[in-house]
Amino acid sequence: MTGTAARHLYLARHGEASPDESTLTAAGRRQAVLLGQRLRHAPVTAIHHGPLPRAEQTARLIHEQLDGAPPLQASEPAGDYIPYLPQRDELPPESADTMLDRLAQFPAEERERGPELARTALTRFTGPVDGDEPRHELVVTHNFLIGWLVRAALDAPKWRWMGLNHANAALTVIRYAPDRPASVLFYNDMGHLPDALRWTGFPPELRV
C-alpha cells in the first residue's frame, strides 16, 4: 500500500567514539548535545537508535535537548553492519580488488546478517507513511547504513553505499513524499558543529 503523507527521515551518525568504541569521547558528547540543540525545533515524532553504546549514548544526549520528545527506540536495523555484499562484476574494475579486500576484513556474522537487516531498514525507515500528517523520524546510526539509505534514495547501484562517508553527529535528511521520487534535502551537514568538532569519523586524508 502506498503511503498518503510525507516522511522526513533525519539520519545522524553517532558522536565520536573512544578507541574501543565502548563510549563517546568528550568531543562526541559535545557533538551529540549540539545536534540535539539543532533539532530542538524539529517536529520529531520518533527517535530510533542502533543497539551499540556509541549510538545509544548519542541518541540519549540528543533526546535530553528536545522538549516533549518521544521515547527512544532501540532498533537492530539501525545498527552497524555491512548492508550489501557486491559481486566482483558489479564493481569498477580498477577498484574491485581493493573494495572486496576491505569487505573481507569484517566479521563473517556481520557480512552474513547485514543484507537482511538492510532490507528491513528500507522497509521500516523509508517511503511515505499512512495518514494525513507528515512524519518526522530521527535515526541515530552508523556510517554504512546512512550510505545505504542515501544510495537507495538516489536509485544508485546497490554497491554504491561504499564510498559515501559521513562525519560524526552530522545530519542528513531525506524526504519521501507520495507520488514523487525521494529527495535528499541535505547530506552530511555539519553546520551545528564548530570547526574543531567537524569531520571526525573521516580518515585524516578526507578531512577538510
Side-chain angles (χ1 to χ4, degrees):
M1 183 180 295
T2 302
T4 54
R7 183 202 310 257
H8 295 80
L9 184 66
Y10 301 70
L11 296 168
R13 187 180 179 186
H14 59 81
E16 183 183 65
S18 61
D20 67 359
E21 299 185 333
S22 65
T23 189
L24 298 180
T25 64
R29 291 191 293 274
R30 182 62 179 154
Q31 289 170 329
V33 168
L34 290 170
L35 177 55
Q37 291 174 354
R38 175 173 181 173
L39 294 172
R40 185 168 286 165
H41 300 296
V44 175
T45 52
I47 303 175
H48 310 274
H49 64 81
L52 295 177
R54 57 192 186 276
E56 186 278 330
Q57 291 172 20
T58 300
R60 177 166 42 81
L61 288 166
I62 291 171
H63 187 268
E64 290 173 358
Q65 313 310 310
L66 307 180
D67 295 328
L72 298 176
Q73 302 179 49
S75 172
E76 191 174 10
D80 193 14
Y81 51 82
I82 302 295
Y84 179 76
L85 289 168
Q87 299 298 310
R88 182 180 296 276
D89 60 5
E90 297 177 71
L91 301 172
E94 64 276 9
S95 56
D97 287 341
T98 299
M99 297 170 80
L100 292 172
D101 287 347
R102 182 183 177 217
L103 291 174
Q105 296 173 11
F106 289 87
E109 181 181 1
E110 185 176 334
R111 288 185 279 116
E112 292 167 2
R113 293 197 64 234
E116 179 183 352
L117 290 170
R119 290 189 291 270
T120 301
L122 286 173
T123 300
R124 184 170 299 181
F125 301 133
T126 72
V129 297
D130 293 330
D132 299 324
E133 296 295 325
R135 185 182 302 172
H136 294 254
E137 296 184 86
L138 170 64
V139 179
V140 180
T141 183
H142 303 265
N143 187 49
F144 288 174
L145 182 61
I146 295 173
W148 173 249
L149 295 176
V150 169
R151 176 229 50 95
L154 297 176
D155 290 324
K158 290 182 178 180
W159 69 267
R160 203 59 184 87
W161 66 269
M162 300 181 73
L164 293 174
N165 292 284
H166 208 269
N168 293 122
L171 186 64
T172 287
V173 177
I174 305 173
R175 183 173 185 261
Y176 305 90
D179 303 318
R180 298 182 186 180
S183 299
V184 179
L185 301 184
F186 48 89
Y187 174 77
N188 200 38
D189 191 302
M190 293 174 272
H192 49 286
L193 302 175
D195 288 347
L197 296 180
R198 297 182 181 185
W199 300 106
T200 64
F202 272 60
E205 68 272 14
L206 296 183
R207 298 184 183 187
V208 176

